Amino acid sequence: MGSNRWFTTILLHCLLICVTLWSNLSSGVFAKSTRRPNIVLILTDDLDIAIGGLTPLTKTKKLIGDAGISFTNAFVASPLCCPSRASILTGKYPHNHHVINNTLEGNCSSKAWQKSEEALTFPALLRTHTGYQTFFAGKYLNQYGHSEAGGLEHVPPGWSYWVGLEKNSKYYNYTLSVNGKAEDHGADYSKDYLTDVLANRSLDFLQYKSNYLPFFMMVSIPAPHSPWTAAPQYQNSFNTTKAPRDPNFNVHGKDKHWLIRQAKTPMTNSSVHVLDDAFRKRWRTLLSVDDLVEKIVKSLEARAELDNTYIFFTSDNGYHTGQFSLPLDKRQLYEFDIRVPLMVRGPNIKPNQTSKMLVANVDLGPTILDIAGYNVNKTQMDGMSFLPVMEGKMNSSSWRTDILVEYEGEGSNVSNPACPLLGPGVSECFPDCVCEDSYNNTYACVRTVAPSANLQYCEFDDNEVFVEVYNVTADPFQLTNIAKTIDQEVLEKMNHRLMMLQSCSGQSCRTPGVYDSRYKFDPRQMFPHHGWRLSRQKTK
């Protein structure tokens, strides 16, 4: 009996020693891991910057922009939801991830996308190689949840916790995939308003996640995408607000691509009324986004995690309301559709900074991987990390000067019965038969921001091989296409750079183009893989 007591005493002492050792070990190892920064990416849907989209977001500007850095030259690789979101996730330009529009046929969340790109997204790399716990809530890709793409049971690789919206942006009467199980929502504001649901799910994650591992959280909000449903308390906000009457508002784009030229100028009173109403509704939805940002920041602060967390705020594309007499949409090559807000706060980022350096949404993945300590050179990503820019370790002389913007237009192969005179090949037609897209609204642009130049050069894949060039410094509203008056040598240089970017992949996308004086300007060498294909047109 005495020997048993002795054995028990020894065993208890051993257990105590083990617990003490484990406690000391864990405090060292886990303390080190918790020092790794957390990362939050808040992604809005169709939020412009050129026509005042940040105006309603007063708390967001204070809590993220004023507390960190704001980029004034942030662009998207494509001005449409699914191609742009694919660029964010993969760090690749559309010609490399092959998502060309918002349809399954356009590779949006298709089986082909899942097999080729989804396992190589930056969240998948974060979870697999860096040990980050990952959380997603909101809109993923427009066709997510489609029965032909795995349904709601499909949870993309890379996510520890998944709350994905079925298909496109909504505010009520939607279905979520919660870790692969369907969760239906109705129209009760207190339970179902999607922006608030995403805020609450984000706060739940922050409360119940592991405190011993760093985290990445992506909150992908529907606002301010249509149907522009505001929360009840905000439905009467901005009642006298109108879309800005900038110099390019309700102006005929006489020297632009034919799709822009077909817009009726002046717009009808009914079109102006509709776009003003949409503008107000968009701003109203953003007030709930502002609340979401405040809730997340305050939760991080209450948990003593804010100082060790990078918070990114951006959008998948811009938007227009009446510019060049186009009533409502995106999809065009101009600043209002391709330039987006980008604000970041976090460790080693000094407050109240503004940067004019050129960044693109293909850079978000590389930057987040860089923050997490993963070597971006191990990936095939086209973008580059702008972490050194945020930390003040990079100047404009050693940073890139050019990024690529690509879009492949869509159009129906039958005439719109309401607009028969337009013929086949157009889509997204407004009641006044002003169409926002067409199958030959297919273009590639090089956007250049350098100390000596602020230019945009674009070529269309159409029978004209139409070219548009803008000096954005002298002409910020892009009223005058200078393609026919610009120096020929500049045309050749920009055409050469565009061709290089359209054929780039990975590291070659991050290096500046080399100008060859023997190279002659020939736009017809662009889009060699194209030609008029019926697959570009929608079948009604």
Side-chain angles (χ1 to χ4, degrees), residues 14-281:
C14 289
L15 285 172
L16 182 60
I17 291 169
C18 289
V19 168
T20 303
L21 286 171
W22 172 248
S23 176
N24 291 336
L25 179 63
S26 62
S27 65
V29 173
F30 290 141
K32 185 178 179 181
S33 69
T34 53
R35 282 197 297 271
R36 286 197 290 165
N38 308 307
I39 308 163
V40 176
L41 170 60
I42 300 172
L43 177 66
T44 52
D45 197 344
D46 288 1
L47 176 60
D48 63 274
I49 191 171
I51 58 172
L54 284 179
T55 303
L57 295 165
T58 55
K59 291 182 282 192
T60 300
K61 287 184 290 185
K62 178 182 178 182
L63 294 170
I64 303 179
D66 293 351
I69 187 168
S70 298
F71 289 89
T72 59
N73 287 307
F75 293 89
V76 295
S78 189
L80 187 63
C81 298
C82 207
S84 177
R85 289 164 181 267
S87 286
I88 291 171
L89 291 164
T90 62
K92 296 180 180 180
Y93 287 120
H95 70 265
N96 286 327
H97 62 58
H98 307 298
V99 177
I100 60 172
N101 58 43
N102 289 342
T103 67
L104 272 182
E105 295 76 19
N107 204 26
C108 180
S109 202
S110 66
K111 287 286 189 182
W113 153 267
Q114 293 169 20
K115 290 178 181 177
S116 62
E117 298 294 336
E118 208 167 50
L120 300 174
T121 61
F122 80 83
L125 297 175
L126 269 182
R127 189 179 181 194
T128 303
H129 298 291
T130 69
Y132 271 63
Q133 51 192 325
T134 55
F135 169 86
F136 180 90
K139 175 178 171 178
Y140 180 58
L141 301 173
N142 296 57
Q143 296 300 323
Y144 172 74
H146 197 289
S147 58
E148 294 179 23
L152 294 172
E153 296 80 18
H154 173 67
V155 175
W159 301 105
S160 317
Y161 305 93
W162 173 260
V163 184
L165 174 67
E166 181 183 32
K167 298 187 178 174
N168 205 2
S169 289
K170 290 184 177 181
Y171 298 82
Y172 293 113
N173 300 307
Y174 54 87
T175 301
L176 297 174
S177 167
V178 180
N179 295 322
K181 293 183 179 180
E183 180 182 282
D184 295 324
H185 284 259
D188 182 339
Y189 170 71
S190 64
K191 297 186 297 185
D192 301 313
Y193 189 67
L194 183 54
T195 306
D196 291 351
V197 169
L198 299 180
N200 293 334
R201 293 294 171 90
S202 300
L203 299 182
D204 288 345
F205 169 73
L206 291 176
Q207 182 177 351
Y208 296 114
K209 65 176 176 60
S210 167
N211 291 326
Y212 300 118
L213 294 171
F215 67 84
F216 168 68
M217 182 166 74
M218 182 171 178
V219 188
S220 184
I221 310 161
H225 195 286
S226 61
W228 313 307
T229 309
Q233 67 270 31
Y234 297 134
Q235 285 177 355
N236 294 316
S237 302
F238 308 119
N239 275 341
T240 60
T241 300
K242 293 183 178 181
R245 269 51 173 175
D246 289 332
N248 55 10
F249 179 84
N250 207 5
V251 169
H252 190 255
K254 58 184 182 297
D255 56 4
K256 293 170 173 44
H257 188 242
W258 77 267
L259 182 66
I260 310 301
R261 298 198 302 269
Q262 56 86 37
K264 295 177 176 62
T265 305
M267 293 181 286
T268 62
N269 289 337
S270 60
S271 288
V272 174
H273 175 78
V274 168
L275 70 86
D276 277 337
D277 186 55
F279 191 88
R280 284 188 288 273
K281 289 178 177 177

Side-chain angles (χ1 to χ4, degrees), residues 75 77 87-88 91-93 360-366 382-384 400:
F75 293 89
S87 286
I88 291 171
K92 296 180 180 180
Y93 287 120
N361 62 351
V362 294
D363 301 328
L364 288 169
D382 303 332
M384 54 198 294
R400 67 135 83 84

Side-chain angles (χ1 to χ4, degrees), residues 472-538:
V472 184
T473 300
D475 181 19
F477 295 100
Q478 297 170 294
L479 297 170
T480 305
N481 177 10
I482 58 174
K484 294 182 179 178
T485 59
I486 197 171
D487 185 86
Q488 184 75 8
E489 184 175 322
V490 176
L491 272 182
E492 291 174 4
K493 186 174 183 178
M494 297 193 77
N495 172 253
H496 188 199
R497 179 60 176 146
L498 181 56
M499 291 190 69
M500 291 180 68
L501 280 170
Q502 270 223 297
S503 60
C504 77
S505 178
Q507 183 67 38
S508 63
C509 298
R510 307 174 211 154
T511 54
V514 178
Y515 178 48
D516 186 343
S517 60
R518 297 168 297 176
Y519 188 84
K520 298 305 176 187
F521 172 62
D522 183 5
R524 293 185 183 276
Q525 292 187 47
M526 290 294 298
F527 309 103
H529 59 289
H530 288 173
W532 303 124
R533 302 194 305 269
L534 189 61
S535 62
R536 257 202 219 133
Q537 300 184 21
K538 298 175 182 173

Side-chain angles (χ1 to χ4, degrees), residues 371-397:
I371 290 170
Y374 187 78
N375 185 353
V376 180
N377 291 325
K378 292 181 178 179
T379 74
Q380 290 300 310
M381 292 183 174
D382 303 332
M384 54 198 294
S385 170
F386 54 84
L387 180 60
V389 174
M390 297 193 292
E391 293 182 337
K393 299 176 180 176
M394 181 79 68
N395 58 43
S396 58
S397 63

